Each structure stands twice: as C-alpha cells, then as structure tokens.
C-alpha cells in the first residue's frame, strides 16, 4: 500500500510539471497511454491553456497503468493464506523460542540471489502432548568389568545326539572342548569351548546355523549384587532391624522353614562358620579342582546367614535345608564372577535335587541359555528370587531379575528409604531391608553389608516360611500373597522404585490381608 501511494503521488507531481511547462508537446508514442475519452488533436500553445486536458489525461493514464501492473503482479504471485481481518489492533504476543538446528548448511549462492517471495507465517502452536520415541533396550554392564568371556563361548547341542556326533562336531570346526555337561532341565548337552585363533566371536556365533546346534552364544558373566565393603560389627541381634521392620518378630507359631530346600546359587557357603551351624545339607561346586586362591565364599556365606543363621545373629528361616551351589570364583582380573555355563549347571543341580527356592543374588545381562533354564525351573514349580542390581537409577534392567518368572528384589534402609544404588524399572516387584544389614563375615566374624543381594535373601527366607507352613502353596499364590502383603512405598501402587512395596513377612506367612489388619 505504501508503494502504491508513493507511485500515485509521483504521477500527480509529473502531471503538474507538465502543466507548468510552456514547451510541452505530447510525443507521438504517448498516444499509447491515452484513454479514448481524452485522445484529442495536438496543438502548440505557448500559453499552456490548451494543455490542461492532455496533462490531466496523461496523469490519469499513468496512474491506471501503474495500478494495472500492480494487480497483474499480484495475480501472478503465489497465493498464501492471509490472516483474518481485524477491526482492532491485534495484541502482540511473544513468538515461541525455537532452537536452531545443529550443523545447518549455508544456502547456495544462486538460491540466495533468488529468494522466495515473502509469505504469511501463522503463529506456532505446540501440541499439548509430545510423542516421544520408545527407548531402545540397553545392555547391562557393571562399570569396567567385562560382560562375557573373551576366551571361550557356549554351544548347546540339540537333544538326542550321540557322543560320537559331538566329537565329529568338534573336529569339523576345530574346537577345543574345555568342559561338557548335560543339563537335565533342558535335556541338552552344553559345551564350553575355546575360541580358535582363526575364528572371530561373530564366526563362532554363526555356528547356530548348523543343524546339530540348538544355540551358540557368548559365555556371559554375572557378578554378586552386594557392596564389597563389609563393616565389622559385634554379633548382637539388636542390629537386625529387618526383623521388626518386616514383622518377623510377630510370628509366634514356630515358623522356621523346616522341610523346605533352598538353594543359594552363589560363591559357595562356608559351612563351618558359627552363624551357619551345619545348616548346609548338600553342596555342588563347578570348580572341584580349582586353586583355593580363586575361591572365596564370603558373598554366599553372607547371603546364607540372613536366610538361616543359627548363632551370633538371627536367621529368617532357621530350619530350612540350605543347598550350596558354588558357581562364582575370582577371575584373572580379581573380580568375583560366574558365567552362563556354570550358573546353569548350578541351577540344574539344585532343581534335580529337590530345591523349591533358588536365591539368585547376582546380576548381568540377558542370556538365552540362562533364560531357558529359568523357564524350565519355573515349569517345575520352583520359586526364583533375584537381586535387582546395584548400578543405580539410570542402569538398564539386570538379569535374571528382569525375567517375568523371577521375583526381582530391591533394597531399603532402616527408614524404608530406597537404596541409592539400586536398579529401578517396571520389573521390580518387592523391596526388603538391604542397607547396613548384619551378615556373617570372614571365617568366624560378623559385619554390616549393603546391596540388593542382602534384600533378596530376606525375601527368599520369607518364602521358605510360607512353604514351611503351607507346603502345597502354588507358585502363583505365593507371588500374589507377597504382593498383597507388601507395605506400599513411593507412588501409590506398584512403581519403578519399590515395586509393590517393602514386604511384611508376617502378613505374607499368616495370609493376613490389609483390610483384616486394619480391622
């Protein structure tokens, strides 16, 4: 509009100049701009009186020509949506701040010389709910510790193969057999074989395409889920705040877990420790010929003392039959570690010998061989309780706790606060005391230890009390009662931090519901 008004005023000024010019003579080509109503014969009159009509006509014609060209330009330009007409002056609003895109390239020179015509940009309106892409699964790791062996891998053969077929398989691929076992749970032969020098791990895993192979995978590593620091403590039972917190002191009917077999799949149990008092009834070791320097039963003994201690401290289920499966030992880097091959052997041994509960106080990454063993044990009615892990809130889910048929346990302190370094996630089911809890330590001492491993032992011992009182209690009924008996912590209902909440063992064992307790 400003441009059109300027052109109009310019043309009127030009017309006035023509009126004042005494020598004005309309050129012949000016007839092209005349309208039919003002086109007249030309006259020379130095007084200028005869030029008023032609001058006005010329000015009007020029104005009409300018307006016609403006309308033509608008018709040829792209049509954009225009804002609705407003009778009042619109209120200016701040434009939302938009973050510039990174690594923005400069516009080509030719495009810069021919910019696109301006267009009307409507106000940006952000949606109320932004759609966020689903996070990809993450791989569980523990600091700088390796997640699998770089020296050997595991091959599971299909059922029914003869030993001659196994030998032919090894010879064909040039494999050196380190160990071989038959897992009764899976009815399969499992081999631990060394990586040949000429074979990469990727090539080794491609053995799964062989018709004799059911599965080929890395030999995954698992680590105990407990703080390595043990604080020395006097053997006073008063230090065990968990008993009052979980309602264990209210059990008066002699619940002790008698007749229940509970297997601790761990680093082994020091059976001669005063706290254990001969409660270990059966033992298995994946390393019968190992150097004693690589074996250390501290972690397994601490877990077992929470479950079934006899002296110096109280055990949750004093009369439970402890089964010790030693599948963890120190590796060359000085880490206490168990691998897929040995852990599955320990689970297979425990189930074959009648274990009703498996305490799995360790954590690692997802593992198809271990998952198959867990599924098979679950099908036989075995309750499995596992540590959620000690890698913190941002860590991905740890296994075997994250498997659906395993009870994942996190740790709380004396004030029902969540252990800072506990893993979180939707798979977490229950919480139990696991911060500064009294455990058996060393050859004959006691100490305070922290970790989801310790909390797992409290849940396993409580399940033993339930089965000791009701031997025929089904797996589903046990899990439902545990969830129903938990004290809700954190957000209302099940949450990523506490699961269903911190277990009240008294309510779980006696099957007292929340409503009955309130009355």
């Amino acid at each position: 509009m400003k441009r059109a008004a300027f052109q109009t005023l310019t043309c009127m000024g030009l017309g006035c100049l023509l009126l004042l010019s005494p020598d004005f003579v309309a050129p012949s080509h000016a007839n092209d701009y005349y309208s039919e109503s003002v086109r007249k014969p030309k006259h020379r009159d130095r007084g200028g009186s005869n030029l008023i009509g032609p001058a006005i006509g010329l000015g009007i014609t020029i104005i009409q020509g300018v307006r016609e060209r403006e309308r033509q330009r608008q018709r040829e330009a792209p049509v954009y949506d225009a804002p609705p007409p407003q009778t009042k002056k619109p209120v200016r609003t701040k434009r939302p701040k938009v973050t510039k895109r990174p690594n923005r390239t400069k516009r080509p020179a030719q495009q810069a010389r021919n910019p696109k015509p301006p267009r009307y940009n409507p106000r940006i309106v952000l949606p109320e709910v932004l759609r966020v892409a689903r996070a990809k699964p993450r791989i569980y790791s523990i600091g700088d510790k390796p997640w699998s062996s770089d020296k050997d891998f595991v091959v599971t053969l299909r059922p029914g193969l003869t030993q001659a077929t196994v030998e032919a398989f090894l010879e064909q691929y040039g494999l050196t057999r380190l160990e071989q076992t038959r897992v009764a749970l899976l009815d399969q032969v499992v081999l631990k074989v060394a990586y040949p020098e000429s074979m990469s791990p990727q090539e080794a895993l491609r053995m799964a395409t062989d018709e004799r192979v059911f599965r080929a995978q890395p030999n995954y590593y698992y680590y105990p889920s407990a703080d390595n620091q043990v604080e020395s403590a006097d053997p006073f039972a008063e230090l065990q705040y968990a008993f009052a917190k979980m309602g264990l002191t209210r059990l008066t009917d002699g619940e002790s877990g008698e007749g229940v077999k509970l297997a601790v799949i761990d680093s082994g149990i020091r059976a001669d420790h005063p706290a254990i008092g001969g409660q270990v009834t059966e033992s298995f070791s994946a390393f019968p010929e190992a150097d004693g320097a690589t074996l250390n039963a501290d972690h397994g003994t601490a877990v077992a003392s929470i479950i079934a201690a006899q002296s110096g401290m109280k055990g949750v289920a004093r009369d439970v039959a402890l089964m010790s499966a030693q599948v963890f030992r120190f590796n060359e880097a000085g880490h206490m570690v168990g691998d897929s091959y040995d852990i599955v052997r320990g689970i297979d041994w425990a189930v074959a010998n009648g274990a009703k509960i498996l305490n799995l106080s360790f954590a690692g990454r997802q593992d198809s061989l271990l998952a198959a063993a867990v599924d098979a044990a679950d099908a036989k009615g075995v309750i499995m309780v596992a540590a959620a892990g000690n890698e913190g809130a941002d860590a991905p889910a740890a296994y075997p706790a994250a498997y659906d048929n395993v009870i994942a346990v996190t740790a709380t302190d004396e004030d029902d606060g969540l252990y800072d370094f506990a893993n979180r996630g939707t798979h977490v089911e229950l919480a139990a005391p696991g911060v500064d809890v009294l455990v058996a330590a060393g050859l004959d001492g006691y100490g305070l230890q922290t970790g989801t491993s310790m909390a797992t032992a409290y849940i396993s011992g409580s399940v033993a009390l339930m089965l000791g009182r009701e031997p025929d209690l089904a797996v589903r009924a046990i899990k439902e009662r545990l969830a129903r008996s938990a004290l809700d912590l954190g957000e209302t209902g099940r949450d990523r931090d506490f699961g269903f909440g911190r277990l009240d063992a008294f309510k779980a064992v006696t099957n007292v519901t929340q409503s009955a307790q309130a009355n």
Side-chain angles (χ1 to χ4, degrees):
M1 294 298 294
K2 292 181 178 180
R3 180 179 178 184
F6 177 79
Q7 292 174 341
T8 302
L9 291 174
T10 302
C11 294
M12 292 178 66
L14 178 61
C16 292
L17 289 175
L18 289 172
L19 290 175
L20 297 175
S21 176
D23 296 325
F24 172 77
V25 177
S28 59
H29 60 80
N31 291 331
D32 295 338
Y33 296 96
Y34 289 176
S35 66
E36 291 297 328
S37 61
V38 298
R39 189 173 295 163
K40 295 181 180 180
K42 297 185 284 289
H43 298 280
R44 295 179 65 85
D45 188 345
R46 294 185 182 275
S49 61
N50 296 330
L51 297 177
I52 295 176
I56 294 175
L58 176 61
I60 294 174
T61 303
I62 292 174
I63 293 172
Q64 290 177 341
V66 171
R67 290 180 175 175
E68 182 62 25
R69 288 187 179 183
E70 182 66 18
R71 286 194 293 269
Q72 181 67 23
R73 187 185 67 81
Q74 293 179 358
R75 284 195 296 268
E76 295 176 354
V79 178
Y80 304 104
D81 293 334
Q86 297 178 349
T87 57
K88 297 182 180 180
K89 186 177 180 180
V91 179
R92 297 185 64 182
T93 58
K94 293 183 179 180
R95 298 180 63 186
K97 185 177 179 181
V98 180
T99 304
K100 294 182 179 180
R101 290 178 294 178
N103 302 326
R104 194 172 183 177
T105 57
K106 293 184 178 180
R107 186 177 296 174
Q110 183 178 0
Q111 186 177 356
R113 287 194 299 268
N114 300 301
K116 293 182 178 180
R119 60 183 300 174
Y120 168 72
N121 292 320
R123 183 172 63 87
I124 298 175
V125 179
L126 296 176
E128 294 182 1
V129 179
L130 297 177
R131 294 182 180 180
V132 181
R134 189 174 182 179
K136 295 182 179 179
R138 297 168 59 194
I139 296 176
Y140 184 81
S141 61
I142 302 181
D144 58 350
K145 298 177 183 177
W147 54 269
S148 71
S149 172
D150 59 357
K151 297 180 179 179
D152 52 68
F153 62 102
V154 177
V155 177
T156 304
L157 300 178
R158 295 193 177 277
L161 298 182
T162 64
Q163 188 59 35
T165 304
V166 174
E167 301 299 333
F169 167 77
L170 294 170
E171 183 178 358
Q172 177 181 339
Y173 288 97
L175 299 176
T176 300
R177 175 178 47 219
L178 301 177
E179 294 186 51
Q180 175 178 330
T181 188
R182 182 182 179 277
V183 178
L185 269 174
L186 307 177
D187 190 24
Q188 292 174 329
V189 172
V190 181
L191 305 172
K192 181 191 286 189
V193 294
Y195 282 113
E197 294 183 1
S198 59
M199 181 181 293
S200 68
Q202 291 76 14
E203 292 173 336
L205 299 184
R206 283 199 288 268
M207 284 183 191
T209 59
D210 190 298
E211 62 180 7
R212 295 164 293 186
V213 176
F214 181 82
R215 162 187 311 111
Q217 66 168 65
N219 197 12
Y220 293 110
Y221 282 160
Y222 295 83
Y223 299 91
S225 296
D227 188 342
N228 293 329
Q229 301 297 324
V230 180
E231 183 179 347
S232 178
D234 293 329
F236 295 132
E238 289 77 8
L239 292 173
Q240 294 181 268
Y241 66 89
F243 273 72
K245 182 71 66 175
M246 299 178 66
L248 290 167
T249 55
R250 299 174 60 192
L251 294 173
T252 57
D253 292 339
E255 291 85 359
S256 63
E258 185 176 3
V260 179
K261 286 190 172 184
L262 189 156
V264 178
I265 313 298
D266 214 292
S267 63
I269 300 174
R270 193 170 290 115
D272 57 354
H273 192 287
I276 303 302
Q279 286 303 108
V280 178
T281 59
E282 298 174 76
S283 298
F284 164 84
S285 177
F287 327 107
E289 300 178 359
D291 180 3
T294 65
L295 303 178
N296 186 309
D298 284 351
H299 187 266
T301 302
V303 168
S305 67
I306 293 174
I307 297 170
Q310 302 295 301
S311 64
M313 58 182 289
K314 293 187 293 185
V316 176
R318 289 174 52 87
D319 295 330
V320 74
L322 283 178
M323 302 172 67
S324 173
Q326 186 178 50
V327 296
F328 284 76
R329 63 175 173 176
F330 285 119
N331 62 8
E332 296 177 354
H335 301 308
M336 179 61 63
V337 61
D339 60 27
S340 304
Y341 182 84
D342 292 329
I343 290 174
V344 169
R345 290 173 64 199
I347 292 175
D348 184 51
W349 166 82
V351 175
N353 286 274
K356 294 297 294 181
I357 306 168
L358 302 183
N359 188 97
L360 311 174
S361 290
F362 53 85
R365 56 182 288 170
Q366 196 166 8
D367 177 345
S368 57
L369 177 59
L370 179 56
V374 165
D375 289 342
D378 177 65
K380 290 183 174 292
V382 178
I383 297 289
M384 290 163 286
V385 189
N390 301 337
E391 295 305 305
D394 296 331
Y399 294 84
Y403 292 125
D404 291 338
N405 41 19
V406 177
I407 299 172
V409 181
T410 190
T412 53
D413 61 18
E414 189 172 2
D415 297 321
D416 280 336
L418 187 67
Y419 175 42
D420 288 343
F421 297 102
N423 288 36
R424 323 288 168 87
T426 56
H427 62 287
V428 175
E429 292 184 61
L430 291 171
V435 178
D436 290 337
V437 297
L438 187 66
V439 298
L443 297 177
D444 56 4
Y446 299 83
L448 299 179
Q449 197 160 12
T450 297
T452 55
S453 283
M454 311 301 114
T456 301
Y458 276 109
I459 300 297
S460 294
S462 298
V463 173
L465 295 181
M466 296 170 69
L467 287 175
R469 182 165 175 152
E470 301 177 62
D472 297 329
L473 201 57
V475 174
R476 171 177 280 187
I478 291 174
K479 293 182 177 180
E480 289 178 351
R481 191 183 295 184
L482 289 171
R484 188 174 65 247
S485 304
L487 175 65
D488 192 9
L489 301 174
E491 298 178 4
T492 303
R494 184 176 181 177
D495 58 65
R496 294 171 51 86
D497 296 335
F498 299 94
F500 291 106
R502 194 255 305 139
L503 179 65
D504 187 321
F506 173 77
K507 294 177 182 177
V509 173
T510 60
N511 197 23
V512 175
T513 62
Q514 295 286 352
S515 57
Q517 182 72 10
N519 295 331

